[in-house]
Amino acid sequence: MNKTGVFVIGVIEELLFQGNLSNEFISDKLKHLNLHNYKIEHFDYNNSSFDDLIDYISFKDYDSLVFIISEETQRILSIIEFLKKNITELNNVLVFEDRSINIDINVPDINIIKQNGSRAFLSGIYDSFGIRPYLIKHIDGVKTDEYNLNNSIILNCAINSTIITNEPEKWSVYPLIKIKPENYLQEKYLKIDEDKLSQLIKDFSDQGVISDEYHKVRGIGNKYGLNRLNSISIFNNNIYLDSQQSILLGKATDSFLLLKNQYTVGVQNLNVSKLETDAVKYINLITPINTSSDYKGARFILPVTRYKNPPKPIDDCDKSFIEWIGIEKDQEYFLYNFVKGRLFKVDYNFITKFEIVQKNEDVNNDANDVRLLLEKV
């Protein structure tokens, strides 16, 4: 029996989002097609790859697809052609375009989405924006005359992913968003040498305060192995992890698996300390707190920062309390649990004991009262 998957999609500036329409409305749209065995699907286009979508369609055993959209774009048509090319069982794909359709899309401000994407690309840090490892979100194609990529690379790109290029027409065969660098890379990021970057991170570990300059340094995630193949850069026929060509991954014709294997080797050879890497991870985690008006310029009490005791790598600390963050601001003290989203106001004595507990330095059980209290929260 023929099976049809129905996808309702909202389109905003080439970005695809899960759309919502009433079942009655969809039934009315499809009734003249004489479809009896169809299912309305929901899909995450931001955090899923083309390979994920293809696997999902194949798993559901669909031989036909229907896309209901408010605006038919060239990218939508490219995606459909890409699906046809990569799913041999697919017999038919239909597109219903109706600009009068009011498709409900539950997404935040599109400008915030675009800003977060730009920041992730420039910093090389993606996990704070909820992007999983090995999902390509950005391809830097500004400095290349090579426009043919191995198909497996495209398959592992997010459906909402971007090629940054001065020649978008030469990438037209690929179902990604094409954008020129002057329209995307609008924030001013700094290119500093590794010694200066190490000093910024060391200052954070020594003082617990994040420098404003740190937030504007380009490619931090690439230097510390935190860009987990979420972006690639094409320079001539070679593929690198980042625009600075710091880690060579392979050729444009290489499979994604080969790039992934070479990425693993390259990251293992990075000459950075565990303490520095952990500090960068924490800075990434606490940046939303640090940039808020209430806690801007605050001092953070963490495993990787010095308060009354020296900083330590996470592996040397008590991991039972890693989810807790100490904060000092204007002679007031707070504890924040970033997993549960709970904030507590405490006193100076409590915060100093907290540091001892978190860094596993409580050899005489002097801070056992704090330990027991945190275990109950």
Side-chain angles (χ1 to χ4, degrees):
M1 183 181 292
N2 293 338
K3 296 177 65 177
T4 301
V6 179
F7 294 81
V8 180
I9 300 175
V11 183
I12 305 177
E13 298 186 28
E14 298 289 355
L15 292 165
L16 274 55
F17 299 98
Q18 173 62 46
N20 298 298
L21 292 169
S22 68
N23 291 344
E24 292 77 15
F25 184 93
I26 294 173
S27 296
D28 183 64
K29 279 286 181 186
L30 301 182
K31 62 183 179 182
H32 70 283
L33 295 178
N34 198 29
L35 294 177
H36 301 289
N37 189 21
Y38 69 85
K39 184 174 183 354
I40 301 169
E41 290 292 354
H42 292 79
F43 203 78
D44 182 355
Y45 301 98
N46 198 50
N47 292 303
S48 302
S49 67
F50 287 100
D51 201 36
D52 293 331
L53 179 58
I54 289 167
D55 283 347
Y56 184 78
I57 292 169
S58 299
F59 174 76
K60 288 299 192 81
D61 201 24
Y62 291 138
D63 53 20
S64 297
L65 301 176
V66 174
F67 292 97
I68 300 177
I69 58 176
S70 57
E71 179 185 1
E72 184 178 275
T73 66
Q74 185 57 49
R75 190 164 99 88
I76 290 284
L77 298 178
S78 295
I79 290 173
I80 290 171
E81 289 304 311
F82 189 76
L83 293 177
K84 288 179 178 178
K85 175 183 174 183
N86 286 277
I87 306 177
T88 56
E89 307 85 9
L90 205 55
N91 296 324
N92 197 18
V93 180
L94 298 176
V95 178
F96 278 100
E97 177 195 19
D98 188 342
R99 294 178 183 270
S100 66
I101 297 176
N102 184 23
I103 296 178
D104 180 39
I105 308 173
N106 184 24
V107 296
D109 188 329
I110 191 67
N111 290 321
I112 293 176
I113 293 174
K114 291 163 63 178
Q115 184 182 65
N116 287 345
S118 176
R119 287 178 175 175
F121 174 71
L122 288 167
S123 68
I125 300 175
Y126 285 80
D127 55 1
S128 63
F129 301 106
I131 306 303
R132 62 177 169 83
Y134 310 118
L135 178 67
I136 300 174
K137 291 290 288 184
H138 295 99
I139 297 177
D140 182 352
V142 174
K143 298 178 181 178
T144 184
D145 53 8
E146 173 60 60
Y147 304 101
N148 295 307
L149 296 177
N150 188 293
N151 191 56
S152 66
I153 295 175
I154 304 301
L155 284 170
N156 283 279
C157 288
I159 297 169
N160 282 341
S161 56
T162 301
I163 295 177
I164 304 163
T165 175
N166 287 311
E167 300 177 289
E169 66 283 353
K170 293 189 176 180
W171 296 95
S172 59
V173 68
Y174 298 116
L176 311 182
I177 299 168
K178 294 90 178 175
I179 192 164
K180 292 190 175 182
E182 62 266 24
N183 297 327
Y184 194 72
L185 310 179
Q186 296 179 353
E187 293 193 53
K188 300 299 182 183
Y189 272 61
L190 305 173
K191 294 182 180 180
I192 65 175
D193 60 42
E194 294 186 7
D195 290 340
K196 178 64 182 296
L197 177 57
S198 292
Q199 187 59 51
L200 287 176
I201 297 169
K202 183 178 185 301
D203 290 344
F204 169 71
S205 287
D206 287 341
Q207 302 164 18
V209 179
I210 305 175
S211 164
D212 288 340
E213 187 179 10
Y214 177 91
H215 292 301
K216 293 298 181 181
V217 177
R218 184 165 184 172
I220 293 173
N222 306 320
K223 298 179 187 299
Y224 287 91
L226 302 180
N227 175 354
R228 294 172 292 180
L229 213 53
N230 297 123
S231 69
I232 57 174
S233 178
I234 310 169
F235 185 73
N236 294 328
N237 190 41
N238 292 323
I239 292 183
Y240 296 85
L241 181 64
D242 63 307
S243 304
Q244 290 77 44
Q245 293 106 44
S246 60
I247 296 179
L248 176 63
L249 300 177
K251 300 289 185 182
T253 52
D254 287 343
S255 70
F256 181 76
L257 181 59
L258 284 176
L259 301 186
K260 187 175 177 180
N261 291 340
Q262 190 57 41
Y263 162 82
T264 303
V265 173
V267 168
Q268 288 175 345
N269 291 332
L270 289 174
N271 185 26
V272 292
S273 73
K274 188 69 171 66
L275 179 61
E276 280 191 32
T277 302
D278 288 347
V280 171
K281 290 178 181 178
Y282 261 110
I283 294 174
N284 191 37
L285 176 68
I286 64 179
T287 289
I289 304 173
N290 182 67
T291 53
S292 68
S293 57
D294 290 338
Y295 299 104
K296 186 173 179 58
R299 183 176 185 180
F300 291 91
I301 297 92
L302 305 163
V304 296
T305 60
R306 180 187 301 275
Y307 194 59
K308 302 301 176 183
N309 294 277
K312 300 173 70 172
I314 294 174
D315 288 343
D316 296 341
C317 298
D318 190 332
K319 293 186 179 180
S320 304
F321 304 103
I322 291 300
E323 64 193 48
W324 289 94
I325 294 170
I327 305 171
E328 177 190 315
K329 178 70 186 298
D330 298 332
Q331 296 184 319
E332 292 187 319
Y333 306 91
F334 305 89
L335 277 184
Y336 177 68
N337 187 303
F338 63 81
V339 174
K340 299 178 180 178
R342 302 182 67 182
L343 180 71
F344 301 90
K345 188 174 183 179
V346 296
D347 59 21
Y348 172 77
N349 185 52
F350 193 99
I351 209 78
T352 55
K353 287 185 176 182
F354 162 73
E355 184 196 25
I356 293 172
V357 168
Q358 192 177 56
K359 289 180 176 174
N360 211 16
E361 298 282 358
D362 190 20
V363 292
N364 297 319
N365 289 327
D366 294 331
N368 199 46
D369 55 334
V370 171
R371 177 187 296 275
L372 292 174
L373 183 61
L374 292 178
E375 287 175 346
K376 293 178 181 179
V377 175

